Amino acid sequence: MAPTTKTADGSGLTEMSWDPITRIVGSLGIHTKIDFKQKRVAECYSTSSVFRGYSVFMRGKDPRDAHFITSRICGICGDNHATCSVYAQNMAYGVKPPHLGEWIINLGEAAEFMFDHNIFQENLVGVDYCEKMVRETNPGVLDLAERTEAPHAAEHGYRTIADIMRSLNPLEGEFYREALQVSRYTREMFCLMEGRHVHPSTLYAGGVGTVASVQLFTDYLSRLMRYVEFMKRVVPLHDDLFDFFYEALPGYEEVGRRRVLLGCWGALNDPDHCDFTYRNMTDWGRRMFVTPGIVVDGELVTNDLTEINLGIRILLGSSYYDDWAGQEQFVTHDPLGNPVDPRHPWNQHTIPAPQKRNFEDKYSWVMSPRWFDGTEHLALDTGGGPLARLWSTALSGLVDCGYVKSTGHSVVINLPRSLTKPETSFEWKIPRWSNALERNRARTYFQAYTAALALHFAEKALDEVRAGRTQTWEKFEVPDESIGCGFTEAVRGVLSHHMVIRDGKIANYHPYPPTPWNASVRDSYGTPGPYEDAVQNTPIFEENAPENFKGIDIMRAVRSFDPCLPCGVHMYVGGGRTVQETHLPTGLSGLAG
Amino acid sequence: MDAAPSAPNGSTAPPSAGTEEEAPIHILWINAGLSCDGDSVSLTAATQPSIEQIALQGLPGLPKIAVHWPLIDFECGPVQGADTFIEWFFKAERGEIEPFVLVIEGSIPNEAIKSEGYWCGFGDDPETGQPITTSEWIDRLAPKALAVVAIGTCATYGGIHAMEGNPTGAMGVPDYLGWDWKSGAGIPIVCVPGCPIQPDNFAETLTYLLHQAAGSAPMIPLDDKLRPTWLFGATVHEGCDRGGYYEQGEFATTYDSPKCLVKLGCWGPVVHCNVAKRGWMDGIGGCPNVGGICIACTMPGFPDKFMPFMDPPPGGIVSSTASGLYGGVIRRLRAITRKTVDKEPRWRHTGTELTTGYRAPW
């Protein structure tokens, strides 16, 4: 069957859509117009087709329930929500957990990163680069891969690039199956610390219910060192695979590329500094083991969490919601006296307005979060999470715990000797592009980064246990009136929770995970969201004709962001138009089908 | 993931499978209820059996299957184009793939309560360009399915998204199709609750159904809430290793205590779930057994009947007060016995004299 429809506007563009997209989390659709003559995607619309309404049904509930409920937002990184909610509650209740409780949460969250990036990279994204897929989309590239020796064969054991690709074939590939097993023992590590995956059972405001013992940390460390050994093979393996694509397909750096507009909200607190007060948030934010930051065109704009917080704006424009202008403002000033914008999550009202999908008007359940730098509403992305985290951490030069060190221009990861491999160091250097391949590469390096950090956390935790300080939870009272905010990094990037308590109940609660940023849609200023923007820049390298076109380059661009949403993406492509022109808000009318 | 025919020789069927190419049982997975995909993700953690074992017929007696599962599916072509994932669902509707098992993840919103638009959709209608709602897919496919399986508490009973005050009117699959609904093959809706599902619980249920489809197992035994009886027959408390503290009247007053959590919000005594007994993964993790109060995430009344989660269940106050009284007596008696059994018998000693009771023949 012919897959494509020519658009009726005489533009020569072909409409194509992918909905739902597989091998991501949630239902996402991408609708495009493709210019097959120019081999470019001219237009892209990302759409989400599922609405659940957390902010609506959480109103009036007990604030202590918030982390149990919000965990259910996401089935692969729900624990990030639970953690972020616990952070927001700690602030609202004025409670500081025992150090050991914080180390346990860090160990749990580190395991989440290790698990999630691993399963996504090898079992979901990896398939885009497997032998079967490359054979079906770029047979010429596979031929070259068969003839290309892997530079790091000695480290990972695969002689050629094609051998790596074969090992990634779904189910039959050896490395594919090994990675599934790795995703299991890393989840066991997680469960040791947080009870169960993905919705934790032992997390509470004030700390954790996990019983801290020598056994707990021994069980964790034994598995962690297996992972450390695994990473010594995986980092060079992925370097070989991704470097090969630059070599095999000159110009491939343009796939999924967009301007460097990265956000990172920081992750993994240092209990020696973090007291969860808003007043000190700037300071303890800078002590996080992943440094918060906003990076624009390669420059660090800020690493101040307070400033980051106050700059968040939620815009509408193409989403199925009524605006809340004129509605009650819950928080006019933050605890430091700074004014809080009516479009800030603390003041948001979620008013669903289901309606027909129309790519010229409203077409998604996702809103348009932006970061206001004083002049512009920046459509930040997270680079799938790891790219922004490493970039921000590298530029700030604040992290140094031996196992990892930020240099100001790179991040050095030191992995100790393991069962069969010697001590190994990796250095992640700031890449030249924010594109699909670098998002994927960063994902691998960040796995090594969290494994190294986990070694530090485990040592700190064992020190506490050996010193007899085994308390992991601290009592608290829920105040009648309070506000709180939580900042962390979910696996896929920036995560914030904003809560308002009145009469001891939740008066307002708005979680902002990374995917609303990445999968956001054209806002009221006409600025497209990151997927839309990145896909619109994507050239087509696939060898297939339109009749049996798979759109692999588009899928690689989208999946590099690690989409995680019950949502859908649709894309449109326009003939003879330059990419710059399609960025103009007026450029949307007349093309959308 | 299209597991069936992908080996280089074109088949993964074992050589002994016979001369005829065995037609696979298709598994069509709709993850686009009001869902978080947590049940899909959780299933990848299963090891008893694992998804590889199920997909590649790694257990005796399993039929060949072809899985159409958004989370890890190979296929990702454009709509109506090459290798389109959603096309399998249209094929099933047209009766071109038989038999198939329909798996639903996420709760089903009420699409009738608004004038237009959709709460949740899965793929697009080629006629209108609008999303096909998940409930419409159920209307289209359920009558043709060999079995309908609801995975997770959302799909089974509504779950967290069906909480009081929700805007979508969400419900479980049995609420939508009817609790007495049966497939053409006479199989009731199979419900595997849990938020998310315990990995092996679902893998095991799916394995059972595949064995049943292959003719080697009788009708899957379900209780009146359509749960597999062998997994959900007992309560959390019956399998909780902190039950001993309960009996002795020892209750935690802080969440990091190793004692029974019932006074801090644990609903285990009245919740049908095997996690405390089984562990979360390969025996590791859990809920009250490792310090996490049971919030009853497997139950039809979840979450509203258990909130606020961190308050003690009202029924628990009465019974824990009672156990506090007799538990104190039991504990004192046990303390005496324990002191006795903590000592070795007196004949274990050095010296020239044997005092074990043995009489030497010399």
Side-chain angles (χ1 to χ4, degrees), chain A residues 1-5 16-27 31 47-54 56-58 61-62 64-65 67-69 71-76 89 98 115 119 123-124 127-128 130 132-133 136 170-172 176-177 180-181 183-185 187-189 191-192 194-199 201-202 204-205 208-212 223 320 352-359 363-365 470-476 505 547-552 555 559 566 570, chain B residues 1-8 12 31-47 50-52 55-56 69-87 94 109 114-125 129-131 134 160-168 194-197 199 242 253-258 261 264 275 280-282 284-288 290-293 295 297 302-304 306-311:
Chain A
M1 189 192 307
T4 55
T5 336
M16 286 190 135
S17 64
W18 288 256
D19 193 351
I21 289 185
T22 55
R23 282 186 280 112
I24 60 162
V25 175
S27 328
H31 291 232
T47 146
S48 149
S49 48
V50 175
F51 174 76
R52 298 166 305 178
Y54 277 77
V56 178
F57 59 69
M58 285 179 75
K61 304 292 176 357
D62 191 304
R64 294 170 301 159
D65 290 344
H67 59 287
F68 294 107
I69 297 172
S71 182
R72 273 70 188 180
I73 288 173
C74 178
I76 195 160
Q89 290 180 63
F115 143 73
I119 196 170
N123 302 120
L124 281 69
V127 174
D128 285 339
C130 78
K132 188 177 170 191
M133 187 67 78
E136 291 180 10
L171 294 173
E172 294 132 24
Y176 180 100
R177 281 203 307 271
L180 267 180
Q181 271 307 113
S183 85
R184 290 170 188 144
Y185 73 70
R187 273 179 278 192
E188 291 173 8
M189 291 161 66
C191 292
L192 286 165
E194 300 194 20
R196 62 206 276 274
H197 192 270
V198 64
H199 304 315
S201 57
T202 61
Y204 307 96
V208 296
T210 312
V211 177
R223 289 171 176 79
Y320 307 137
Q355 53 195 284
K356 283 203 169 62
R357 187 169 65 196
N358 177 356
F359 290 106
Y363 58 86
S364 182
W365 276 114
T470 53
Q471 187 192 341
T472 59
W473 181 79
E474 185 62 55
K475 278 195 165 71
F476 58 82
K505 303 284 184 211
E547 296 73 53
N548 47 11
F549 181 71
K550 277 179 184 285
I552 186 63
M555 292 301 99
R559 288 203 187 91
H570 293 233
Chain B
M1 83 186 145
D2 197 20
S6 41
T12 52
N31 64 335
L34 304 183
S35 116
C36 71
D37 276 21
D39 304 305
S40 279
V41 172
S42 200
L43 181 59
T44 64
T47 55
S50 68
I51 54 170
E52 309 89 285
L56 302 176
W69 183 16
L71 183 70
I72 63 170
D73 212 281
F74 176 79
E75 296 186 333
C76 61
V79 172
Q80 298 186 343
D83 304 311
T84 310
F85 171 76
I86 197 75
E87 189 56 27
R94 295 194 296 265
K114 53 185 177 28
S115 55
E116 60 171 8
Y118 47 90
W119 296 119
C120 75
F122 187 63
D124 293 338
D125 188 329
Q130 294 292 315
T134 300
I160 211 111
H161 305 129
M163 194 188 291
E164 183 182 17
N166 79 77
T168 60
C195 190
I197 49 119
R242 295 185 178 201
T253 55
T254 62
Y255 286 92
D256 55 358
S257 159
L261 293 165
L264 295 177
V275 162
W280 193 255
M281 294 175 61
D282 274 342
I284 288 168
C287 296
V290 294
I293 52 172
I295 62 171
C297 73
F302 178 76
D304 304 272
F306 308 97
M307 290 162 68
F309 295 125
M310 290 168 75
D311 280 353

Side-chain angles (χ1 to χ4, degrees), chain B residues 115-349:
Chain B
S115 55
E116 60 171 8
Y118 47 90
W119 296 119
C120 75
F122 187 63
D124 293 338
D125 188 329
E127 301 296 309
T128 63
Q130 294 292 315
I132 299 173
T133 61
T134 300
S135 28
E136 194 181 335
W137 274 121
I138 296 176
D139 296 342
R140 293 180 184 197
L141 297 180
K144 298 189 158 83
L146 174 72
V148 171
V149 180
I151 177 170
T153 302
C154 284
T156 54
Y157 310 126
I160 211 111
H161 305 129
M163 194 188 291
E164 183 182 17
N166 79 77
T168 60
M171 66 195 95
V173 175
D175 298 325
Y176 184 77
L177 283 177
W179 285 81
D180 296 328
W181 184 92
K182 282 189 172 62
S183 74
I187 305 175
I189 300 166
V190 177
C191 287
V192 184
C195 190
I197 49 119
Q198 197 274 4
D200 294 329
N201 279 355
F202 190 82
E204 206 170 282
T205 305
L206 188 58
T207 303
Y208 188 102
L209 280 172
L210 291 172
H211 279 138
Q212 184 182 333
S216 53
M219 179 62 75
I220 184 166
L222 305 174
D223 68 13
D224 64 336
K225 297 294 178 292
L226 305 173
R227 298 171 283 218
T229 51
W230 77 95
L231 295 169
F232 292 94
T235 65
V236 172
H237 190 64
E238 285 159 356
C240 184
D241 62 8
R242 295 185 178 201
Y245 285 110
Y246 187 108
E247 184 198 23
Q248 295 177 170
E250 292 178 286
F251 299 100
T253 55
T254 62
Y255 286 92
D256 55 358
S257 159
K259 295 177 182 170
C260 175
L261 293 165
V262 77
K263 288 187 170 178
L264 295 177
C266 183
W267 284 81
V270 293
V271 171
H272 291 270
C273 175
N274 61 355
V275 162
K277 180 84 173 174
R278 186 168 206 178
W280 193 255
M281 294 175 61
D282 274 342
I284 288 168
C287 296
N289 54 317
V290 294
I293 52 172
C294 170
I295 62 171
C297 73
T298 56
M299 297 295 280
F302 178 76
D304 304 272
K305 292 186 176 177
F306 308 97
M307 290 162 68
F309 295 125
M310 290 168 75
D311 280 353
I317 296 172
V318 179
S319 50
S320 65
T321 305
S323 97
L325 295 173
Y326 72 75
V329 178
I330 290 174
R331 204 159 67 238
R332 273 190 295 279
L333 293 172
R334 282 181 182 163
I336 295 165
T337 312
R338 201 162 68 183
K339 215 168 165 184
T340 311
V341 297
D342 220 14
K343 282 187 201 146
E344 288 180 44
R346 62 186 183 283
W347 55 83
R348 296 183 194 160
H349 54 74

